[in-house]
Amino acid sequence: MGNIEIKPVTVQDAKFLFQLMNNPSVMKALNEVPTEKRDWEEAVSSWNEDADEEGYIVFSSGQPVGWFAVNGLLADSHTAFLKMAALMPAHQLVRMW
């Protein structure tokens, strides 16, 4: 996969999130519906204001290849959970056992 980096989501990542989450394979796997780029711009802005949630972009050799989000950071139980994780199909590893 190359040199992997994980960075917090910024508004500049909305274009990549739009591409990722409108990829036909990703949409099918996650049972998602098509979205618009502005939907992702609005989503990122609201996430940045929500202390209970954090999102991250996964980079491989400097290129964005995935996204994951964690929620429940302020839960009384001190138990956060993975809200979403998606990788571009070309960066998914499939093993047949």
Side-chain angles (χ1 to χ4, degrees):
M1 239 184 145
N3 184 28
I4 304 298
E5 293 181 89
I6 298 172
K7 298 179 182 179
V9 171
T10 68
V11 174
Q12 289 77 21
D13 297 313
K15 180 180 177 183
F16 168 71
L17 290 167
F18 167 72
Q19 293 169 341
L20 173 67
M21 298 305 287
N22 282 282
N23 178 284
S25 296
V26 172
M27 285 182 17
K28 182 178 179 183
L30 297 175
N31 196 30
E32 289 287 340
V33 296
T35 56
E36 301 292 328
K37 184 178 173 229
R38 68 177 150 62
D39 296 327
W40 291 102
E41 291 166 347
E42 292 170 5
V44 172
S45 291
S46 69
W47 299 336
N48 289 338
E49 295 174 14
D50 184 356
D52 194 50
E53 182 172 1
E54 291 183 3
Y56 298 90
I57 300 295
V58 179
F59 292 85
S60 176
S61 299
Q63 297 299 311
V65 298
W67 162 59
F68 68 94
V70 179
N71 209 336
L73 297 172
L74 300 178
D76 290 336
S77 65
H78 302 285
T79 304
F81 61 91
L82 183 64
K83 172 183 153 181
M84 174 65 73
L87 287 172
M88 289 299 259
H91 295 275
Q92 297 173 8
L93 176 63
V94 178
R95 291 186 186 204
M96 301 302 289
W97 300 100

